[in-house]
């Protein structure tokens, strides 16, 4: 797909930033489970918090192709930093951009574009993960406000976000058509943010539970019409799946490059390990998996930019790219041998980070369900 010269230039700038500033701090992010302030400041100066926010609200206004091109570059470095930014510029802001009133956009988007306010997306509940329609959180209108009760779990960036897009039931009798979306701010009365979870990977990104106890939301913070929350959440997730696939492609690029470097320098049995056919074949399979993932990702981008929903294409891209990344990361550990198992090489970090991509924003099983349902519908 042909990218505009502006997107190509921005990608080059982001790539320099990744290599000069993010990569040298990747180990620090992993070990301190935090994002360094100076990286946030530099990303703010570059406008990276506003890449998907329209220009009239202070952003850069990239479309899905631009967003995915940046995700590919970000995938080359700390997965935590890529997620911290990518979640905000993706599912953390998409609802307000798509459904916000002019007043909501003016209030929230400029500060989200500048990075002053971080956004996040809260759909999952303890008993409603793969089946978000089983949610229990309710929002009842009382005069000029809604009272929100319930809980959410595993919310990416929730520990540091200021703005939360939260889905809750406003009319139980209507099933999924009775689910609405709201914009919440940190500090609304009755809104509590729980402690950061200890995770297998993605260290540096906060993942928290949220609790609402008669949380008061001004009625003007309803996002879109009542009953549109579920449909909008699914649209947001469809977009999010393609961007995760793009990030996985970037991760695979970097892992393959590192393996090539290692294979050409590591000597065993008197020859470079690159000369062993067994490893060459492993590398070939890694390259083919990465290329196929990239083709599926950009097919999904083109389909969606062409005006179609792209449900099947987005799920196929996420399913294939995340499973390919698992294989590539596993092979990378193998090619590095004992060093692959050591923290200092950074390969095992990618192996652990990669694991989440097959679970969040719809597990691999859920992507297969979606793809099968679409194929059966079209038959
Ligand atoms: C680190 C992290 C960050 C997250 N960030 C966010 C976030 O920012 N916002 C948010 O709203 N949520 C977030 N989530 C939640 C995430 O989307 C869910 O964890 C995911 O959808 C799976 O739900 P679950 O954990 O409840 O697993 P379950 O739904 O309990 O699934 C358990 C197993 O059963 C399988 N399964 C379930 N239903 C079916 C089915 N119908 N067919 C076949 N297999 C099935 C699943 O694939 C899985 O293997 C995050 C989760 C994690 C771990």
């Amino acid at each position: 797909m042909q990218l505009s010269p502006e997107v190509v230039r921005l990608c080059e700038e982001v790539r320099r930033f990744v290599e000069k500033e993010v990569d040298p701090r990747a180990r620090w992010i992993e070990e301190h489970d935090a994002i360094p302030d100076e990286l946030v400041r530099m990303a703010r100066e570059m406008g990276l918090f506003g890449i998907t926010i329209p220009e009239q609200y202070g952003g850069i206004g990239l479309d899905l192709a631009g967003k995915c091109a940046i995700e590919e570059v970000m995938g080359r470095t700390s997965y935590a930093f890529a997620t911290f930014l990518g979640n905000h510029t993706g599912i953390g802001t998409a609802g307000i951009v798509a459904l916000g009133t002019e007043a909501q956009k003016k209030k929230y988007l400029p500060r989200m574009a500048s990075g002053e306010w971080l956004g996040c997306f809260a759909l999952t509940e303890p008993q409603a993960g793969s089946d978000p329609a089983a949610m229990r959180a309710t929002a009842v209108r009382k005069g000029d406000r809604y009272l929100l009760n319930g809980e959410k779990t595993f919310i990416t960036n929730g520990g540091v976000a200021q703005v939360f897009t939260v889905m809750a039931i406003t009319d139980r009798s209507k099933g999924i058509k009775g689910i609405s979306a709201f914009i919440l701010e940190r500090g609304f009365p009755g809104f509590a943010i729980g402690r950061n979870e200890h995770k297998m990977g993605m260290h540096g990104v906060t993942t928290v539970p949220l609790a609402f106890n008669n949380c008061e939301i001004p009625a003007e913070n309803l996002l879109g019409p009542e009953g549109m929350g579920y449909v909008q959440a699914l649209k947001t997730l469809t977009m999010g799946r393609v961007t995760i696939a793009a990030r996985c492609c970037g991760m695979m690029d970097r892992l393959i490059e590192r393996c090539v470097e290692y294979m050409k320098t590591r000597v065993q049995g008197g020859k470079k390990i690159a000369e062993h056919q067994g490893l060459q074949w492993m590398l070939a399979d890694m390259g083919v998996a990465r290329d196929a993932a990239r083709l599926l990702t950009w097919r999904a981008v083109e389909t969606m930019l062409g005006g179609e929903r792209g449900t099947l294409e987005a799920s196929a891209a996420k399913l294939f790219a995340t499973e390919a990344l698992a294989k590539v990361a596993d092979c990378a550990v193998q090619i590095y041998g004992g060093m692959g198992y050591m923290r200092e090489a950074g390969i095992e970090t990618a192996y652990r980070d990669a694991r989440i991509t097959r679970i969040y924003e719809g597990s691999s099983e859920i992507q297969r369900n979606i793809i099968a349902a679409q194929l059966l519908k079209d038959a």
Side-chain angles (χ1 to χ4, degrees):
M1 183 170 193
Q2 193 71 31
L3 295 170
S4 71
E6 292 76 31
V7 171
V8 172
R9 259 197 306 277
L10 184 61
C11 285
E12 285 165 1
E13 200 188 326
V14 174
R15 179 135 180 187
R16 284 192 293 274
F17 169 62
V18 155
E19 287 171 1
K20 189 160 165 267
E21 307 294 351
V22 188
D23 266 354
R25 293 172 172 88
R27 198 74 253 132
W28 190 97
I29 294 172
E30 171 68 18
E31 277 162 14
H32 292 80
D33 199 2
I35 305 291
D37 291 343
E38 71 269 18
L39 267 193
V40 174
R41 182 180 47 72
M42 286 184 257
R44 286 183 68 172
E45 281 165 9
M46 291 172 69
L48 296 185
F49 287 89
I51 56 168
T52 50
I53 293 177
E55 287 174 88
Q56 72 259 41
Y57 304 106
I60 299 179
L62 296 186
D63 63 10
L64 186 60
K67 161 82 168 152
C68 285
I70 298 288
E71 286 290 355
E72 284 199 2
V73 181
M74 293 300 303
R76 301 177 58 82
T77 189
S78 156
Y79 186 78
F81 187 66
T83 303
F84 167 75
L85 267 183
N87 186 275
H88 166 82
T89 60
I91 63 176
T93 43
I96 304 180
V97 170
L99 282 186
T101 61
E102 195 48 32
Q104 288 169 341
K105 288 180 175 173
K106 278 191 175 138
K107 178 170 182 193
Y108 292 105
L109 293 182
R111 297 173 94 167
M112 295 175 95
S114 74
E116 181 189 347
W117 283 357
L118 201 71
C120 68
F121 173 87
L123 177 68
T124 305
E125 298 184 4
Q127 76 301 326
S130 298
D131 179 18
M135 75 170 60
R136 293 186 189 155
T138 56
V140 177
R141 177 128 193 195
K142 294 265 187 248
D144 64 352
R145 40 204 59 222
Y146 285 86
L147 288 185
L148 175 61
N149 281 288
E151 43 184 334
K152 297 287 171 184
T153 192
F154 301 152
I155 306 307
T156 301
N157 278 344
V160 286
Q162 179 69 24
V163 182
F164 299 71
T165 300
V166 178
M167 271 52 69
I169 299 167
T170 42
D171 186 345
R172 198 177 288 282
S173 70
K174 291 188 179 157
I176 55 170
K177 291 189 177 148
I179 294 175
S180 304
F182 296 90
I183 307 172
L184 266 71
E185 290 177 34
R186 174 181 286 265
F188 272 6
F191 178 13
I193 299 172
R195 73 160 177 82
N196 192 14
E197 303 286 355
H198 298 296
K199 299 187 290 292
M200 171 196 260
M202 217 162 66
H203 299 145
V205 173
T206 61
T207 307
V208 298
L210 311 175
F212 314 106
N213 184 7
N214 282 329
C215 171
E216 293 178 27
I217 313 171
E220 67 259 23
N221 278 36
L222 174 69
L223 184 57
E226 266 199 18
M228 275 296 287
Y230 192 76
V231 174
Q232 181 55 34
L234 294 192
K235 278 191 190 162
T236 299
L237 287 174
T238 303
M239 174 278 297
R241 286 167 186 156
V242 188
T243 65
I244 289 176
R247 197 182 303 152
C248 290
C249 291
M251 285 178 84
M252 287 188 272
D253 284 340
R254 188 75 190 109
L255 285 167
I256 291 170
E257 285 164 16
R258 291 202 56 196
C259 285
V260 168
E261 255 167 52
Y262 195 73
M263 286 169 70
K264 285 181 168 175
T265 47
R266 175 77 178 160
V267 175
Q268 281 300 285
K271 58 182 180 181
K272 292 183 178 141
I273 61 170
E275 291 171 41
H276 293 295
Q277 191 181 48
L279 294 195
Q280 290 173 4
W281 286 9
M282 207 183 276
L283 186 68
D285 288 345
M286 292 161 77
V288 173
R290 183 264 320 266
D291 292 349
R294 180 163 278 126
L295 287 171
L296 282 172
T297 302
W298 287 91
R299 176 184 76 155
V301 173
E302 275 186 325
T303 304
M304 290 166 76
L305 287 180
E308 288 176 51
R309 285 181 77 163
T311 311
L312 179 147
E313 290 81 0
S315 287
K318 182 182 186 271
L319 172 65
F320 193 87
T322 59
E323 302 266 337
L325 173 61
K327 194 160 37 158
V328 166
D330 186 60
C331 289
V333 173
Q334 199 64 19
I335 287 172
Y336 266 70
M339 271 317 286
Y341 200 70
M342 299 299 144
R343 293 242 155 142
E344 66 184 277
I347 299 289
E348 64 83 41
T349 317
Y351 178 83
R352 285 183 288 105
D353 287 343
R355 194 63 187 84
I356 188 57
T357 64
R358 288 153 65 199
I359 298 171
Y360 68 3
E361 298 198 26
S363 65
S364 290
E365 292 71 37
I366 295 304
Q367 305 312 324
R368 287 188 173 94
N369 289 351
I370 294 170
I371 294 163
Q374 292 291 316
L375 290 172
L376 290 165
K377 195 170 88 182
D378 293 345

